[in-house]
Amino acid sequence: MSGSLTTRRTVLRAGTAAVALTGAAWGAGSLYTGTRIGSGGDGGSRPVRIGYLPITDAAPLLVAHANGYYDDAGVAVARPVLFRSWSSLSEAFVAGKVEAIHMLMPMALYMRYELQADVRITAWNHTNGSSLTVHPEITDLAGLAGRTVAIPAWWSIHNVVVQKMLRAEGLTPVMRESPSTSARTVALVPMAPSDMLPALNNGVIGGYVVADPFNAAAEAKHVGTIHRFLGDVWRDHACCVTMLRGELLRDRPEQAAGFMDALVRAQAWARTNRPETAAVLASGYLPQPKPVIQRALTYTAAAHADALHHPDWHGESLDFRPYPYPSFTQELVRAMQETVVDAPAGFLTGLDPATAHRELVDDALVTRSIARAGGWGAFGMHGPTRTEEIQA
């Protein structure tokens, strides 16, 4: 009886999270339309306010603060504020409570086109950094048939990629219904990352797909195993992007430019100083212990050979490549149009992928900042174009 109660309670919490991630339910639209943020007389000196989630994806924003890069760029920045959920971070950003965030790129499209929010993607925050982690008894993807997999949000690269993986295995992702082994269905449910590891440990879910260090934590506690790195499915994909409010870009352009210089400098430092980055993140920014954070930042292909189909892609490695490639935005829009979600999706109908990139992404500042930080080669990039590689 206790096991079934645990299952029902967990599913109830997950259902509540799913409702919270719909625009009408969590009120982001009304928060935005009712908020007017004026530049005021102190627009050039008012500190930029940063919001983040306690995951390694936030590293560039946090490293730039800890290492004093914002100060070096002449930009006043308040201490970054930790949020516990994507919905609360989104609400705060759209309402103008924070002006700079890292955000799931599919959610960025939702905010721009469903909520009509005045926001722009100004850089990629990082590449890779997420995995599908499964219960130790599951040895192949087919073992998820009849099980539930937790995702951090409907509009997330995690949901997009895991559905590609499931379909490639002949499995069908479903929502709001019990999964069936015989029908080869897998139930997807949104869940806060902090709830995923205990749910996996208790057998409530068969796996979860999320950013680190939650995958590293499952390995360290012997609760789960990394089945596949998402960077091994979609090579060097963007998970979180850096977003700025439109008013910051328009009314405080010097602050926006300096902010981007500091962020890109932090990305260059973090990609070549991984143990030091772990120490920074563990020094009061992230709640996880330093060994777990460092483990997530220093995965090796040799230690995770079973989770890599394309070891030469280095999909196990969280990286920091700031340029927002148009090819990725366009492919992501097409993938989102094929993804099952229990959330508003009408904004994708008729949305042209190339137009979406032009309207949502502003790469002027990051292009300049890349040049100042050493050029494309400093980030393992070769220029402003690339070909997307996806093999589920």
Side-chain angles (χ1 to χ4, degrees):
M1 177 63 70
S2 62
S4 61
L5 284 173
T6 300
T7 300
R8 287 197 294 271
R9 288 169 181 161
T10 301
V11 172
L12 178 61
R13 288 198 303 269
T16 302
V19 171
L21 285 166
T22 63
W26 52 263
S30 61
L31 282 170
Y32 173 72
T33 55
T35 302
R36 295 291 181 267
I37 307 294
S39 59
D42 63 343
S45 59
R46 187 168 73 246
V48 176
R49 297 161 296 180
I50 298 171
Y52 73 99
L53 256 64
I55 51 180
T56 51
D57 294 358
L61 293 166
L62 305 178
V63 165
H65 180 263
N67 286 5
Y69 295 162
Y70 297 125
D71 292 338
D72 291 348
V75 180
V77 172
R79 181 175 177 83
V81 178
L82 186 153
F83 289 79
R84 293 293 180 181
S85 69
W86 289 115
S87 57
S88 61
L89 178 60
S90 300
E91 288 180 20
F93 182 58
V94 175
K97 303 300 183 184
V98 292
E99 299 145 315
I101 61 172
H102 68 111
M103 176 52 60
L104 302 163
M105 186 160 177
M107 186 70 81
L109 286 155
Y110 170 83
M111 293 165 70
R112 169 63 179 83
Y113 288 102
E114 178 68 21
L115 303 182
Q116 298 295 305
D118 181 20
V119 297
R120 300 297 294 272
I121 293 172
T122 54
W124 281 3
N125 193 66
H126 69 98
T127 56
N128 301 336
S130 299
S131 307
L132 170 62
T133 293
V134 298
H135 194 278
E137 70 182 17
I138 296 175
T139 58
D140 57 33
L141 202 61
L144 288 174
R147 305 294 294 266
T148 296
V149 171
I151 57 175
W154 289 115
W155 291 128
S156 64
I157 194 69
H158 311 88
N159 188 32
V160 170
V161 173
V162 79
Q163 289 194 27
K164 287 181 178 290
M165 295 170 62
L166 294 174
R167 292 192 178 99
E169 186 65 25
L171 302 173
T172 301
V174 297
M175 307 172 300
R176 297 199 180 198
E177 66 179 74
S178 298
S180 166
T181 303
S182 59
R184 294 178 62 78
T185 59
V186 179
L188 298 177
V189 60
M191 187 177 291
S194 58
D195 289 336
M196 291 180 179
L197 193 150
L200 185 67
N201 188 39
N202 293 333
V204 174
I205 58 176
Y208 58 74
V209 55
V210 73
D212 266 309
F214 294 99
N215 306 291
E219 285 193 325
K221 295 178 181 292
H222 306 289
V223 170
T225 59
I226 293 176
H227 176 75
R228 188 94 180 267
F229 291 99
L230 298 198
D232 190 62
V233 179
W234 191 330
R235 185 173 189 175
D236 293 331
H237 66 278
C239 175
C240 287
V241 291
T242 300
M243 298 187 71
L244 301 182
R245 285 180 53 83
E247 65 89 14
L248 177 61
L249 289 165
R250 289 189 304 273
D251 301 341
R252 298 146 68 186
E254 291 185 0
Q255 275 192 310
F259 182 90
M260 192 56 54
D261 282 347
L263 181 81
V264 171
R265 182 183 175 189
Q267 290 173 309
W269 186 84
R271 69 191 310 266
T272 56
N273 295 275
R274 294 175 180 271
E276 294 83 358
T277 297
V280 167
L281 297 179
S283 66
Y285 293 103
L286 300 190
Q288 298 89 356
K290 178 183 172 182
V292 169
I293 298 171
Q294 183 163 325
R295 183 185 188 122
L297 290 173
T298 57
Y299 289 130
T300 64
H304 290 86
D306 292 342
L308 296 169
H309 296 186
H310 314 286
D312 58 309
W313 289 10
H314 294 291
E316 78 284 355
S317 181
L318 172 68
D319 208 347
F320 305 100
R321 298 180 178 183
Y323 188 74
Y325 288 97
S327 59
F328 179 81
T329 306
Q330 294 168 26
E331 189 60 38
L332 178 62
V333 170
R334 288 188 283 268
M336 289 172 62
Q337 291 168 337
E338 300 172 350
T339 300
V340 175
V341 296
D342 190 10
F347 69 95
L348 289 169
T349 303
L351 180 61
D352 176 67
T355 300
H357 183 82
R358 288 195 302 270
E359 292 180 344
L360 179 58
V361 179
D362 184 344
D363 65 7
L365 293 181
V366 72
T367 300
R368 188 199 70 160
S369 295
I370 289 170
R372 290 188 170 190
W376 300 99
F379 301 92
M381 302 182 298
H382 303 288
T385 61
R386 75 174 199 180
T387 300
E388 301 304 313
E389 297 180 71
I390 307 173
Q391 294 186 25

